[in-house]
Amino acid sequence: MIEKLIEISRKYGGDSSYVIAGGGNTSYKDGDRIWVKASGHALSTITEDGFAVLDRKLLSVISQKQYGSDAAKREEEVKNDLAAACITKDRRPSVETSLHNAIDYSFVVHLHPTVVNGLMCSNNAGEDAEKLFGDEALFIPYTDPGYVLFNEVQTRINAYKKEKGRHPSIVLLQNHGIFVGADTAEEIEAIYEKVICKIEERTTVAAVENAAASDQTQNVIPAIRMMFGKYGGLKTLKIRNNSLIAKFAASKTEFKKIAAPFTPDVIVYCKSEYIYLPFKDNDGLLLSAQKEIDEYVGKNGFTPKALIIEGIGIVAVGDNAAGCDTILDVYEDMMKVAEIAQSFGGEHPMTREQIEFIDNWEVENYRRKVNAGQVSGRVENKIIIVTGAAQGFGEGIAECLIKEGANIVVADLNETAGLATVEKFRSLCRSNRAIFVKTNVADTASLNNLVRETICNFGGLDVFISNAGVLRAGGLEDMTPESFEFVTKINYNAYFYCTQAASRVMKIQNAYSPSPDYYFDIIQINSKSGLRGSKANFAYAGSKFGGLGLTQSFALELAPFRIKVNSICPGNFYEGPLWSNPENGLFGQYLQAGKVPGAKTIGDVRRYYMNQVPMGKGTSPEDVTKAVLYLIDQTCETGQAIPVTGGQVMLG
């Protein structure tokens, strides 16, 4: 039966129309024990280890014991009695365990489906629930969570059983969700399907269509992100917009429908107050944003979690990227709930007293702590674009930075490889995130799109690593004008295009930075060939020499904006595809170009180059990343070219 419990938990836990932000819980019980989801475990991925096991005889003490009237003391006593009944001492059982135990069915599945909450968070919740389900369901008016809710539910279940001669299989909780009980997992699924269908028959909700990012996004969101810097460090911001969001963001009148939370989950993840900003011109919007944020913090003592901006959408303000995802999911779900509630008399938010109880409830504070998920690393939560990061040096550098806590944007023209790289990175992420943006670094429109997507997903840009590069070897007699222009366009021109696009957003951020100690970085991954000439490779070496000239010039121009510009000049990454690709790698190219006198095989070429490195090793992405981290950490280096060559090139 535990296998069935896991199966049904994952089924609903993986469906966002039933579960948002890991909410809800499930259980199975026999005569002696109950298995219930433990706090901190997501239904979508739960295993047997994610369930707390309790002794039902000891658990029944909570239903029989008389507790005092002091709420804080009572909840502490209940928590201790719950812990005493727990057989698995290393897992904190859900606070709703007693509710699961009170519903006399083998399986109990408690969820917060959007459709059900559209009814439960409406003005006519009780009346329309009776019309839809008759005596099949037991409706419970809103009651504060914890022992008080358990006591109320148990009392009403006992009265229902006395009147009907059976336990209810459906328990509907106003402004909370639904409990469904049955003796088999199959019956649970059938009941949920029936409940959803009956409610949907009464609703008329327009289909949600995606909306393009506003042209103003790049000009205002990075500035707003910097405004939060004076309140305990920079936040991560993320934007979401679609036809539903645009409707509620269109006016103050529409916003009022979602200006207060409907359920405890909304308070946990989004707080209970949100900022609405009507669109003005850019300067006017930013003035309003600064005023509203300052007033909000002054009133509440913490920063807002959600901004609703006319023409832009929901802007999540998270401690990290994972937190932003949760805020957006929960807040958009509240919009969907408000829309459905119009079919049942309009939306019914929680009262101020109910909100204050949740804000101060120990259990919800525990949930906040569990879901905080802070990353720890040298570039924790920094937003970093790496061009040419689908493979090779770029991929390796990006992977190292992911492990150090960065949010990474993989910018590459190779979509297949880029998506695969990001999929790999996702397994390395904690509360940071990685995304792929298809990018042609030689095209300014493509680079503008890259910056826009970065801002929409993370709120700004802290570091731009210009890594994408190409090489076509050949001497004066072999090099074609087309190959020369291609190498120059990617290695030299594109570095200018990248710096231009990145510096625009960094200048905006600098203008609104609360601290003179916050710097931004543009880092070019150059080459040892940028430090000395390279025989039969002049197109590449020339473009890299030129890149260092750009670095020094950009550094002088951007220093007043606290933007550091530096180059790193790596030695050869012999294991990477640039060198070792059997079809077009440099070892093969150099063999064909006759660059290594007397070489007859690729192995001969490899040995020739390895013999030139005093440290006896190729330069790895890890080696280069150490230089990247150094450049980000320091505040007194700009316009520099740092060799990472194993001693092959030494500066005098």
Side-chain angles (χ1 to χ4, degrees), residues 115 195-204:
V115 170
V195 168
I196 299 298
C197 286
K198 283 197 171 186
I199 297 174
E200 285 182 336
E201 287 172 1
R202 283 280 309 276
T203 62
T204 53

Side-chain angles (χ1 to χ4, degrees), residues 29-87:
K29 55 183 170 290
D30 58 23
D32 301 316
R33 295 183 175 188
I34 182 170
W35 288 256
V36 65
K37 186 186 87 73
S39 295
H41 292 265
L43 284 177
S44 59
T45 57
I46 201 165
T47 65
E48 186 170 352
D49 291 339
F51 291 94
V53 185
L54 294 92
D55 185 308
R56 293 188 68 194
K57 184 177 180 180
L58 295 176
L59 186 58
S60 65
V61 168
I62 295 174
S63 63
Q64 299 163 4
K65 187 174 178 179
Q66 294 295 317
Y67 295 96
S69 58
D70 184 280
K73 185 177 179 181
R74 181 183 63 232
E75 293 300 327
E76 186 66 22
E77 290 175 353
V78 171
K79 185 177 72 172
N80 291 337
D81 288 338
L82 196 61
C86 199
I87 296 168

